[in-house]
Amino acid sequence: MAAARGFCQTATVLDADSGLPLPGVTLNSENPHAFTVTNAKGQVNLAAFENAEAIQVRSLGYATLVISYRELEASGFEVRLEPSDINLDEVVLSATRWRQSKVTIPSNIVSVSPREVALQNPQTAADLLGLSGKVFIQKSQQGGGSPMIRGFATNRLIYTVDGVRMNTAIFRGGNIQNVINLDPFATESTEVLFGPGSVIYGSDAIGGVMSFQTLTPRLSLSEAPLITGKAVARYASANKEKTGHLDLNVGWKKWALVTSLSSWDYDDLRQGSHGPDDYIKDFYVQRQDSTDVVITQNDPLLQVPSGYSQVNLMQKVRFKPHEAWDFQYGFHYSETSPYGRYDRHNRLRNGLPRYAEWDYGPQKWMMNNFSLSHDAYTGLYDQLVLRVAHQAFEESRISRNLNNPTREVRTEKVKAYSVNLDFHKAAWKKHKLYYGMEWVLNDVASTGVDQDISSGTSAVGPSRYPQATWSSLAAYFSDEYLLSERWTLQGGVRYNLFSLDADFSDNAAFYPFPFSQARISDGSLTGHVGAVYRPEPTLVVKGSLATAFRAPNVDDVGKVFDSEPGAVTVPNPDLKAEYALNADLGFAKVFHQRFKLEVSAYYTRLNNAMVRRDYQLAGQDSIVYDGELSRVQAIQNAAVADVYGIQAGVEFKLPAGFGFSTDLNWQHGEEELDDGSRSPSRHAAPFFGVSRLTYRADRLELQCYTQFQGRRSAQNLPEEERAKDEIYAKDANGENYAPAWYTLNLKAHYALNETISLGAGLENLTDQRYRPYSSGLSGAGRNFILSVQANF
């Protein structure tokens, strides 16, 4: 649909193959300085672009188009983008929190396109990250998903939602499940920045940054209200998934609203029929007549208990009184049902299940986020963004030993407050300055309750954490310098103050702590330098050196938990920050617009690493925990860790609408042990990747792909993983190891018209029984997926 030139000079951007409108396309001009994004109908207002000589039109999965305003006018203000993944020039946000061209950034960044999301139908945000082919996903239960990036995971990675830090002071060194709080249906764009990001994001940004941008309320370009949205229904056979989603955007000239609601319901997940028998647990525990009874399953391939449900709600309001001002408020809420931690249900003691219950209680997340942006082009800044956010997290653990009436309930609540003030300034023709300040406060409340399920009585029990606060105050500065048409240099620095106050007195009656208070107060200086060399439009070479840090949090300093069979981790108030030094070198080359090769190599050294080691508590090397004499351990600054690896990707544009791509990841990590020897790093995944054969024609897209993981032998298992019988398979010597695996998969997406589209998939075609490395839950067996989406 073309729009004639009128008062607001509306243009429409379409897919060249299907003719369907493209939402989320960015249009950018340097002279005049202008930027805009298409709405759900593919429309934009070009008033600010009048007389522009070069308007860059970009969308992930499409070839970039550079066109003048005069050429747009001659075409009737209609733009058609050609689908193509053979592209180096994308717009990304995660590097500096500002929109930048990917070819000017020394760091490696990957984006997941909306087109890929529509085709793949990821069930959770963790699965959404896995679509990149460069992020490894670990799962201890179906209600989870813990990303591993370049040998790091959990509290050595950063999650951001609409630019707001999601990490809290109880993010642990083990696997975490918080990413499932996010709704893939309400996510507008997803990016992963590989390597350190501490200059912009502060503590924890060692291995990478995961940036999620949720739906933006879109304004109307005319006097009539803009009413758009989508409704989705989906079913999957492996876990009898029943999912529904609805989002609605109502926009006027200055005000806009977007509402999103999603609901998921998953039954127990069925694993495949061909694979290691060690992964089969054919029993579950049921309470009958005040007795725990071990029940033999009718279907041994069902992973019981693993089912759960979830609901997500998002409401956003936008007010744009003037081209220079933009105010937005967002409310997010997510809540799961209770769900079983499947790997703990696999633990045995004396030939029987150790636990009758081991569940996570409802996982809840709420965020209120207000942002203000201002375009001023003053001496101090060209653009300013202020973000003020409040988040509330709640999670709990519920466990009870077999035929023991005491149910232990441990509940954690975190209130997180943050303020970010970010500035962008183009200066001296060749410089782009990014600078700002950040303040973060976490308030942690932890409680323990012991319930007697026989008598119905309750008593105060030990809490998992002390009552604590964690805070951070920082300022940063970064400069992007265009040395020449071929060279771009970038450098930045950040100084970060952090503090932690913890009160252990609530647990004094349960554990012989030699202290009742702990306080940590320190600072950290981090920086990065990098360069991008682009000798021709089809070749980019980039390299960088960067430091990063992770400040001790409440989980490091104050947690009490059973880390592995026969061991208990206790608090250590004497921790200091750990520091990383990283080097990156990579290139991307496009050949004849039909073949793209991208390779990056990296090395990271982590000094002063916080790791779990044997410890003494009040002179004791063992204490009774959960009714069992357990070896005392604590998180300590006791190691140096090294991680290095290679990421590689190739893409071919084949004739007749076909294409092929593959992503490969190899990494090796080692950390120092107490005796000076070295052990493989827990979060350095084995070799893994994905290869895809695609076909696109008009409104149809097909993909046949395989996902795969290499073998991790018993000798190469991390020291702390070797005793986890419930997770791994047994080799010929009876030792735990992670077998290699693969899956074959088919996906299809067809747009019947502008309103209705259908999706279908057949995952794990050969019904493999496989388990991703370090996971306590097997992946889905043969899985049929059907979805229907209505756009309006």
Side-chain angles (χ1 to χ4, degrees), residues 495-637:
Y495 187 71
N496 212 120
L497 296 171
F498 56 87
S499 65
L500 183 152
D501 287 280
D503 184 349
F504 295 87
S505 56
D506 287 354
N507 278 343
F510 303 101
Y511 303 116
F513 295 153
F515 46 82
S516 60
Q517 306 282 331
R519 176 171 175 77
I520 295 175
S521 182
D522 207 344
S524 176
L525 180 67
T526 54
H528 73 251
V529 292
V532 178
Y533 175 56
R534 194 175 185 184
E536 55 187 73
T538 60
L539 174 63
V540 175
V541 181
K542 54 179 66 177
S544 66
L545 293 172
T547 60
F549 79 103
R550 185 171 78 83
N553 65 18
V554 177
D555 184 88
D556 300 313
V557 171
K559 178 173 60 179
V560 179
F561 83 116
D562 55 333
S563 54
E564 58 186 81
V568 58
T569 298
V570 301
N572 177 10
D574 299 319
L575 288 174
K576 298 185 180 299
E578 57 185 18
Y579 288 87
L581 174 63
N582 180 84
D584 256 274
L585 182 64
F587 74 90
K589 170 66 177 175
V590 172
F591 300 87
H592 308 296
Q593 294 301 310
R594 289 195 168 275
F595 171 57
K596 181 170 79 170
L597 172 64
E598 193 165 5
V599 178
S600 62
Y602 57 90
Y603 169 78
T604 305
R605 164 156 282 207
L606 186 64
N607 292 306
N608 223 22
M610 289 181 269
V611 293
R612 193 166 59 242
R613 292 287 185 265
D614 289 345
Y615 191 67
Q616 288 194 344
L617 187 62
Q620 302 178 54
D621 60 9
S622 298
I623 62 172
V624 175
Y625 179 81
D626 198 17
E628 180 178 341
L629 186 64
S630 300
R631 186 173 76 259
V632 174
Q633 296 183 322
I635 304 296
Q636 302 172 57
N637 295 111

Side-chain angles (χ1 to χ4, degrees), residues 296-318:
T296 301
Q297 295 176 195
N298 293 326
D299 184 352
L301 298 182
L302 279 180
Q303 299 178 92
V304 182
S306 60
Y308 79 105
S309 60
Q310 181 173 336
V311 63
N312 273 53
L313 171 67
M314 184 186 77
Q315 178 64 59
K316 283 190 171 183
V317 181
R318 182 182 185 186

Side-chain angles (χ1 to χ4, degrees), residues 27-136:
L27 285 80
N28 180 70
S29 167
E30 292 294 332
N31 186 23
H33 190 88
F35 177 84
T36 190
V37 181
T38 60
N39 62 23
K41 295 183 178 181
Q43 298 174 333
V44 288
N45 182 357
L46 289 180
F49 292 82
E50 190 166 8
N51 297 323
E53 291 297 325
I55 302 173
Q56 298 173 341
V57 187
R58 295 186 180 98
S59 184
L60 189 61
Y62 291 85
T64 297
L65 176 67
V66 180
I67 190 170
S68 70
Y69 186 90
R70 188 179 299 277
E71 290 170 326
L72 269 174
E73 189 175 31
S75 69
F77 291 100
E78 179 179 283
V79 178
R80 290 179 175 266
L81 293 184
E82 294 285 345
S84 174
D85 293 319
I86 311 298
N87 191 13
L88 298 178
D89 193 13
E90 301 169 8
V91 173
V92 293
L93 274 168
S94 55
T96 60
R97 286 199 177 101
W98 298 97
R99 295 183 186 274
Q100 292 176 272
S101 173
K102 185 177 174 180
V103 295
T104 66
I105 300 169
S107 300
N108 187 23
I109 298 175
V110 64
S111 305
V112 181
S113 71
R115 187 167 186 161
E116 184 74 3
V117 174
L119 175 67
Q120 292 292 341
N121 267 317
Q123 289 190 337
T124 69
D127 298 331
L128 172 62
L129 288 168
L131 296 182
S132 67
K134 295 180 171 65
V135 178
F136 190 88

